[in-house]
Amino acid sequence: DTAVSQTPKYLVTQMGNDKSIKCEQNLGHDTMYWYKQDSKKFLKIMFSYNNKELIINETVPNRFSPKSPDKAHLNLHINSLELGDSAVYFCASSQDWGSSYEQYFGPGTRLTVT
Amino acid sequence: GQNIDQPTEMTATEGAIVQINCTYQTSGFNGLFWYQQHAGEAPTFLSYNVLDGLEEKGRFSSFLSRSKGYSYLLLKELQMKDSASYLCAVRGLADKLIFGTGTRLQVFP
């Protein structure tokens, strides 16, 4: 029944490593997002895909690379992890790209870089 | 620039009414959302306003004044489970959703 799922839920890794977070939605939505929530609970958009096409790419270091193999999946790969990458990463989806569509969030992936 | 302001923390008593304010200055406006986020969980959608006025949904209501760049979320008959963070988010230019820093509400018995 899970609408938006993410794996893993927790990720602890060392600086310099490369890691991936996976996201899947079973809502039949066309649009998916990645957000970063820092220690002050500030939620900020990173990327958005609509029908597998990148439509938002905020000023995120190019160590972060999203990939959408199909409409139901949006993965996030992070190269050369840094301490400042520690945060909770939320995946979200919405029915379509447009103003009135609410976003459904996944449970989050808590990334800790040591 | 983009700016969304909310009080950082609020407290209230079970059964009471609380109003959480949000003021915004954004490049473009395509609607305002309120989300609820319990500690350690994902944000969940509460309400959406695009026209001026009040939208009511059970114990929760949300108000918007576009000319004043102002919204509020009204929670009635507060319950302990309403203790959470409440995030105001504006859909701005290019339909990007910009979140405020959230208001942490604590409900006491």
Side-chain angles (χ1 to χ4, degrees):
Chain A
D1 276 332
T2 307
V4 183
S5 59
Q6 295 178 228
T7 52
K9 192 164 171 62
Y10 299 96
L11 187 51
V12 181
T13 189
Q14 290 184 328
M15 279 174 57
N17 284 349
D18 302 339
K19 289 292 176 188
S20 290
I21 307 172
K22 294 187 175 180
C23 178
E24 177 181 1
Q25 54 95 3
N26 63 5
L27 297 165
H29 287 170
D30 283 347
T31 310
M32 295 185 74
Y33 313 81
W34 276 110
Y35 286 89
K36 179 180 179 181
Q37 189 169 45
D38 61 24
S39 56
K40 293 180 181 173
K41 306 300 178 193
F42 183 54
L43 196 62
K44 193 170 180 202
I45 182 78
M46 298 173 71
F47 300 103
S48 177
Y49 272 73
N50 189 52
N51 277 315
K52 301 195 300 173
E53 217 175 292
L54 181 66
I55 47 174
I56 288 180
N57 184 350
E58 283 297 280
T59 36
V60 174
N62 57 15
R63 297 181 295 104
F64 290 78
S65 51
K67 198 165 275 189
S68 182
D70 55 60
K71 279 191 338 182
H73 296 84
L74 180 62
N75 303 323
L76 183 66
H77 188 75
I78 316 169
N79 287 328
S80 305
L81 277 155
E82 299 178 358
L83 292 176
D85 298 333
S86 295
V88 181
Y89 292 84
F90 285 101
C91 176
S93 74
S94 63
Q95 186 176 329
D96 203 341
W97 180 248
S99 306
S100 64
Y101 295 114
E102 72 207 62
Q103 295 180 18
Y104 293 79
F105 285 80
T109 296
R110 183 173 293 275
L111 171 65
T112 304
V113 183
T114 60
Chain B
Q2 322 269 43
N3 203 38
I4 300 178
D5 285 319
Q6 305 177 232
T8 308
E9 288 197 10
M10 295 183 74
T11 58
T13 308
E14 205 173 7
I17 299 173
V18 74
Q19 177 174 312
I20 303 174
N21 295 325
C22 171
T23 57
Y24 62 89
Q25 287 176 302
T26 56
S27 305
F29 180 82
N30 290 313
L32 187 143
F33 293 80
W34 283 96
Y35 281 82
Q36 180 190 61
Q37 186 177 23
H38 284 100
E41 295 183 13
T44 54
F45 169 77
L46 287 178
S47 69
Y48 170 70
N49 294 69
V50 68
L51 299 176
D52 287 355
L54 190 68
E55 294 278 343
E56 295 187 77
K57 220 190 239 188
R59 294 189 299 115
F60 293 5
S61 305
S62 56
F63 171 83
L64 174 68
S65 167
R66 286 172 300 171
S67 61
K68 293 181 181 172
Y70 168 69
S71 172
Y72 67 73
L73 180 70
L74 194 72
L75 293 79
K76 300 176 192 170
E77 298 165 22
L78 277 172
Q79 301 174 10
M80 297 296 289
K81 67 178 182 178
D82 296 329
S83 293
S85 287
Y86 291 86
L87 311 177
C88 172
V90 171
R91 196 128 194 178
L93 268 183
D95 275 340
K96 277 186 224 174
L97 199 58
I98 303 149
F99 281 85
T101 48
T103 299
R104 189 167 160 245
L105 173 68
Q106 284 186 283
V107 180
F108 292 100

